[in-house]
Amino acid sequence: MNRPLAHGSATQAFVGTSVAVIGLGASGSAAARLALAKGGEVYVSDLRTDPATSARGAELEAVGARVELGRHDTERLARAGVVVVSPGIPPDAPVLRRLSDRGVGWISEPEFAVRFYSGSLIALTGTNGKTTTVLLAGQLLASSGIAAAVGGNVGGGLAPAASELALLDTAPAWYVLELSSFQLAGIERLRPDIGVITNLAPDHLDRYPSADAYYADKARLFRNGDDRSIWVLPHGDARIESLAGDTPGARYHFGGTAEDGSHAYVADGVMTLDVAGQPEALLPVNELPLLGRHNVMNALAAALTARLAGAGRDGIAEGLRAARALPHRMEPVLERGGVLWVNDSKATNVSATLSALASLDRPVVALLGGKDKGEAFADLAETLARCARAVVTFGSAGPRIAESLEDSVDVVRLGDDFKAVVERASELARPGDIVLLSPACSSFDMFDDYEERGRVFTETVREVA
C-alpha cells in the first residue's frame, strides 16, 4: 500500500525567497538552515539572549542568516515571503498579535519542511504515546526493509526536527513525523498519506483556553485529507471520529476486536492485524518488551501504520520483539526487595497518568506533583482507590493534588525535596509493589524539564533503594 507522493516543491522556485523564523530553538534553527540550504534569505529573531540561544544564533550567522536577539522586528517579519513560527511561541504572543493585526500569516516548522519532502508522509499526533508510537512505526518499517526517516516533535534528542529530514542526501520512502497541537495549528498544505491519532484527552490547558480549543488544533491533521488519504484511529473513540467528521479517505482502527471490525487487536493474547480480510498473528502480548497495557495500544497503532505503509508481517513481528522502553516513558529503573521502580516522568497530564496506572497489575505507590496545569486531579481518585497503596505528592501542585485525592487514598504530602519523596516511597512500598513516578504535571517548578526530573528520579532511586 506504499503510494509515494511528491510533497516537495521545486527548489529553484524558492531561491531568493525571504524567510523569517520566529524562535531560535531546535525547530527554529532547523527551519533556518533548511531555508538557507534551499537558497532563501533568512532572518531569525528570538526574545531570549541567554548563552545557548546566542550560540545557536552565532552558528546561523556564520552560514548566512541575519539573527536578532532580544526583540522581534515586526516590520522585517511582515515583509517576509514566508514566516515560520517555532512551537514554543504561544499563539497569543505579542509578536504574533502584531503580525495578525497587519494581516500577516505564518506557518509551523513541519509545514515548511514537508514542502521539500519527496517521499510519502506519515503524520502522527495525539495526547499520549506519540513518541513511543512514532519511533516504533519507524523501527517496524526499517525491520521490513523500508527506508524511513523519523522526526518532528520527538523529545529528548531521540529524532531530529522535521526540517532536518528535508536535508537528507537520500530521500526515504517514508517520512514519519510526530506533530504536536502547536505545530498542527500552523499548517496550510500539509497532507499526510497516512495520518495517525493515538488518543485524545485534555492537555496543555495552561496554554489553551479550553479542551475544545486544544482538540481543534489536533483536528487540523484532517484539514487537507482527500480520497487518497489513509487514517489510523483508535477504535470506538467518538471524540476523534467527530473531529475527523466527513474527511475523505480510508479509515483503519486499532484496539477493538475482530468482531467489531477493528484492524489491529489482541485475540487470545496475540497481537493481530487484519487489513485485507485475512488475520495476521504478530506475537503474544507477553512477548512485547514494553511495560503496560497502554503500550500494547501504541504497538498496535504502530504495527497497523507500518503494515499500511507496506511493511510485512514478519518484519513487524521482528521489530516488535526488539522494542525497548524509551527514557522517562514507563521505563523500569530497577527492582529491589521485590519492589519495581518505574520512571514515567513524561506523564505530564492526568490522562497519561491514568493510562499508566490502568496498565499495571500490581499495587502502586504513586508519586504525583509538579507544576499545576489546571487539570482535574480528582479524575485520578477512582483509579487510585483501586490500585494505590499510597500517594506521595510534591511540588507546587502537591497541595491541590492531595486535597483532590485524600478522601479516596492514603496521601503523604511532601514539598520540593525530591530525595525525601523517594525515601518516603521506599518506606511505604511492600514486596510486590511498583513505585511509579507518573506526575500528572509538568516539571517546571522544580526541574528544567521532564527529562531532568526523570534523571534525578533514576539517580535517587539507585542511591536510596
Side-chain angles (χ1 to χ4, degrees):
M1 294 187 181
N2 190 344
R3 305 172 295 104
L5 298 173
H7 287 264
S9 53
T11 300
Q12 268 78 12
F14 192 76
V15 173
T17 299
S18 173
V19 180
V21 179
I22 302 176
L24 195 49
S27 63
S29 298
R33 290 183 182 277
L34 173 59
L36 288 167
K38 301 301 181 182
E41 298 174 356
V42 179
Y43 166 71
V44 185
S45 62
D46 197 309
L47 293 180
R48 296 172 298 174
T49 59
D50 58 276
T53 304
S54 297
R56 287 193 294 270
E59 291 175 357
L60 286 175
E61 285 184 324
V63 291
R66 167 77 171 88
V67 178
E68 188 165 17
L69 302 182
R71 67 184 292 266
H72 298 296
D73 186 335
T74 305
E75 295 294 332
R76 185 158 190 162
L77 291 168
R79 292 197 302 269
V82 179
V83 179
V84 181
V85 177
S86 298
I89 308 299
D92 61 349
V95 61
L96 298 186
R97 290 202 302 268
R98 293 195 298 269
L99 290 177
S100 182
D101 290 344
R102 292 167 178 258
V104 177
W106 55 86
I107 61 175
S108 66
E109 180 261 337
E111 167 70 29
F112 180 64
V114 300
R115 298 180 181 188
F116 301 95
Y117 287 3
S118 56
S120 296
L121 174 63
I122 294 168
L124 183 147
T125 193
T127 299
N128 300 307
K130 296 187 298 297
T131 294
T132 295
T133 307
V134 81
L135 290 172
L136 188 52
Q139 179 177 327
L140 300 184
L141 288 170
S143 63
S144 295
I146 298 173
V150 179
N153 186 55
V154 182
L158 297 173
S163 292
E164 291 189 41
L165 303 186
L167 295 172
L168 294 173
D169 292 335
T170 302
W174 287 92
Y175 298 89
V176 187
L177 294 185
E178 176 185 333
L179 300 179
S180 70
S181 58
F182 308 142
Q183 293 171 323
L184 286 166
I187 68 168
E188 289 181 352
R189 307 201 303 258
L190 185 149
R191 184 190 66 79
D193 299 291
I194 301 177
V196 186
I197 297 186
T198 56
N199 49 66
L200 280 183
D203 196 12
H204 299 299
L205 298 184
D206 52 344
R207 177 155 166 173
Y208 284 97
S210 66
D212 285 342
Y214 166 67
Y215 296 146
D217 276 351
K218 291 294 191 185
R220 290 173 68 85
L221 180 74
F222 302 104
R223 174 186 173 112
N224 299 309
D226 60 25
D227 291 340
R228 299 169 296 174
S229 301
I230 293 174
W231 307 107
V232 174
L233 309 173
H235 173 78
D237 193 311
R239 180 186 293 120
I240 291 176
E241 294 293 343
S242 175
L243 292 178
D246 58 0
T247 302
R251 299 188 188 185
Y252 294 81
H253 296 89
F254 63 90
T257 65
E259 290 71 26
D260 61 32
S262 187
H263 302 90
Y265 50 86
V266 176
D268 297 324
V270 177
M271 297 176 64
T272 305
L273 294 178
D274 185 353
V275 297
Q278 182 61 49
E280 299 176 304
L282 297 176
L283 78 163
V285 169
N286 60 15
E287 293 184 15
L288 182 71
L290 302 178
L291 180 66
R293 286 191 290 272
H294 65 298
N295 272 325
V296 175
M297 293 300 103
N298 294 335
L300 287 173
L304 179 56
T305 300
R307 190 73 180 92
L308 292 167
R313 188 205 72 85
D314 291 344
I316 292 173
E318 177 187 342
L320 290 174
R321 285 192 176 90
R324 295 293 179 268
L326 298 176
H328 319 298
R329 296 164 176 85
M330 292 300 286
E331 178 188 18
V333 174
L334 60 78
E335 184 158 9
R336 188 161 297 165
V339 176
L340 176 63
W341 296 75
V342 177
N343 170 16
D344 193 35
S345 182
K346 184 63 172 64
T348 58
N349 56 60
V350 168
S351 174
T353 299
L354 277 171
S355 292
L357 292 168
S359 73
L360 301 174
D361 57 4
R362 294 163 59 173
V364 174
V365 175
L367 312 185
L368 306 176
K371 182 178 182 295
D372 198 332
K373 297 165 68 176
E375 292 193 66
F377 296 119
D379 290 350
L380 294 166
E382 182 179 351
T383 299
L384 286 167
R386 289 197 307 268
C387 71
R389 183 177 302 283
V391 169
V392 181
T393 68
F394 61 91
S396 63
R400 192 166 77 85
I401 296 173
E403 291 167 6
S404 300
L405 300 178
E406 56 194 1
D407 290 339
S408 303
V409 64
D410 291 337
V411 177
V412 177
R413 299 189 186 207
L414 293 178
D416 295 340
D417 184 341
F418 205 55
K419 183 175 182 180
V421 171
V422 174
E423 288 175 336
R424 189 71 180 104
S426 182
E427 295 168 357
L428 292 166
R430 300 289 180 266
D433 288 359
I434 291 176
V435 178
L436 175 69
L437 172 68
S438 189
C441 299
S442 66
S443 57
F444 302 121
D445 57 337
M446 295 167 57
F447 304 97
D448 289 340
D449 49 35
Y450 75 84
E451 294 164 299
E452 183 190 19
R453 178 170 62 191
R455 286 195 300 271
V456 172
F457 173 73
T458 297
E459 293 165 359
T460 308
V461 166
R462 288 172 177 159
E463 174 187 349
V464 169

